[in-house]
Amino acid sequence: MQKSLIRIPNPPHILSSAAVVGQKEAEGPLGAAFDLHSADDRFGMDTWEKAESEMQRIAFGVMLKKAGLREENVDAIFAGDLLNQCTGSSFGLLDYRIPYFGLYGACSTMAESMTLAALTVGYGIFGVTAAVCSSHFCSAERQFRFPIEYGGQRPPTAQWTVTGAGAALLSAEGVGPYVTEVLPGISVEKGISDANNMGAAMAPAAVDTLTRYFAASGRKPDDFDAILTGDLGAEGHGITLDLMRTNGYDLSRVYQDCGLMIYSSSAQDVHAGGSGCGCSGSVICGPVMKRLRSGEWRDILFIGTGALMSPGSVRQGLPIAGIAHLVRITADPAEQKTGEGETV
Amino acid sequence: MQKSLIRIPNPPHILSSAAVVGQKEAEGPLGAAFDLHSADDRFGMDTWEKAESEMQRIAFGVMLKKAGLREENVDAIFAGDLLNQCTGSSFGLLDYRIPYFGLYGACSTMAESMTLAALTVGYGIFGVTAAVCSSHFCSAERQFRFPIEYGGQRPPTAQWTVTGAGAALLSAEGVGPYVTEVLPGISVEKGISDANNMGAAMAPAAVDTLTRYFAASGRKPDDFDAILTGDLGAEGHGITLDLMRTNGYDLSRVYQDCGLMIYSSSAQDVHAGGSGCGCSGSVICGPVMKRLRSGEWRDILFIGTGALMSPGSVRQGLPIAGIAHLVRITADPAEQKTGEGETV
């Protein structure tokens, strides 16, 4: 029998996290909950790709600083991004002398990296690990679509690649929200081949993962304060709601999508919402962690969704497969007590 | 203290493995030890990228068949390749309904995937996992260098991307060579920026990993039947020998490189040797596993080496970082007994 849901025996704490974003994300409804932003999205660099790497480097450094740890305390990094050959991560984290596992999970990378970081700590392989990812609107546009100067029109189903990086530090010891369960994703492909409608391509994978989770865990959607996909956007959010209802699960009271949370649909021109590794990366490592630490949320499911495709595969007529990794994060009552009652 | 060498408490068996290659690799000195090859390198497909995916799909299927297992017996796949957005793996393994972790480790992918496959089994997270990777000469040439039709000249330090895929199945139960230790790699960058001299860029990472291994384990090079890097080629092999001697370790009696083993330097025009995820992937999963199963080798170190760069990063003047993950594989005496004495 294939293993599906994994209950982690010694759930690792998320000691600290950091989210670094661009100007548009800082102007969005979650703006105040990110750690840092760059007003010109350049982070002091002369190319967009270097800016993306620098954003990861900064996020990692802020995360370490918050935990009061140094690079020699970290046993492994799990990191990835959307750039060809994942250079956003490999150059962004090159300064740190830490064992490095490069990942490619498209926009599911925050969940994939958090899954592996949590499993390796929770089963005693490592003591402290980091999960890191990024995307940058300008490096993604010219790689996946058109040079920005071209000014190509976007259909309503298109999503906007978030300029953002997220980093989370997991540890066997300390305080902070726990990663209590994970359910790794299976690639699902339902014949969608429109690269401007990633939400539709990824939604079936989110549905597959969520359905397997509820079946295996015996829980129901309303047991959670929030169920967050990242990043299906408006199109994929609607499809997921519908398909889950068909499968017998009503998500309507608790279901949100990182791609819909990060921008204002009325005030910011982003069509179907945000996307990119940095979307769920920055939303989870910034605002979501803040809510878990404050006690506003006590138990959530994060389902990182990715579209497994490339411009080349689309040109060759291949469909777009989706994948969705689930991570359950539970608040640590000890931390909230500390946060409320004591000076630390 | 950062964790370095990991001794796996319940070393997983490599139940089965498969290596599928192209025509040039089949004509090389290891040709007879691969499972299958395609005489026109197309594997029945109409593009090189689809051919690469098909090669992975076949390797995975042959590996499963040899072990007498089915897809529902496999808990997780760890897989990667060199194509943009790692589509070689995501499309190659899409047919299998198995939880999927996409990796990007450049040419170190076989070692990275085997490390994670071995750790997750060895610590009881999963029961059965697969490590898979591929590269294809024609898909790599047009992505990283020039269209083949252009006929660009290659400098003597250039390596030849192997058309090949490797797949290995790891399990807590059964017989087969064990993965007894792993040492995950740290990115190392020493200022090399010549994309036609990857061996020089990756050798310092191999030296870093090997030096840490010998220091942490207390073993010496001659304790092993073979120390195999993959894939440094002639240039990187020489640099590694020299630098390791400077560090106090004489590898000369046992050190080979997958990139030098796979082609004949006299009869095949490959300059500095083979490279690509599929080089160490096919050499380890084919001929090396055969030697471990037959008892010819009893204990080896495999150090998968990768160059963390992209055509874009080279154009932007960034240097090339290397990474090297170490996997120690020890023969299973029980299997050799079975192999010699009984019909199985």
Side-chain angles (χ1 to χ4, degrees), chain B residues 313-343:
Chain B
S313 72
V314 170
R315 280 196 300 271
Q316 293 188 11
L318 290 168
I320 300 171
I323 194 160
H325 299 287
L326 179 146
V327 179
R328 179 182 172 196
I329 312 177
T330 309
D332 180 359
E335 188 191 40
Q336 285 146 36
K337 192 152 165 276
T338 310
E340 281 164 16
E342 298 167 41
T343 309

Side-chain angles (χ1 to χ4, degrees), chain A residues 6 164 245:
Chain A
I6 304 173
R245 193 172 290 127

Side-chain angles (χ1 to χ4, degrees), chain A residues 281-341:
Chain A
S282 62
V283 171
I284 296 294
C285 293
V288 170
M289 285 300 159
K290 285 201 164 69
R291 286 181 203 180
L292 285 160
R293 289 187 195 284
S294 73
E296 183 184 342
W297 283 348
R298 290 158 296 107
D299 204 353
I300 69 158
L301 296 180
F302 161 45
I303 302 96
T305 50
L308 301 176
M309 49 73 75
S310 72
S313 72
V314 170
R315 279 195 301 271
Q316 293 188 11
L318 290 168
I320 300 171
I323 193 159
H325 300 286
L326 179 145
V327 179
R328 179 182 172 196
I329 313 176
T330 308
D332 180 359
E335 188 190 38
Q336 286 146 36
K337 190 150 165 277
T338 311
E340 281 163 17

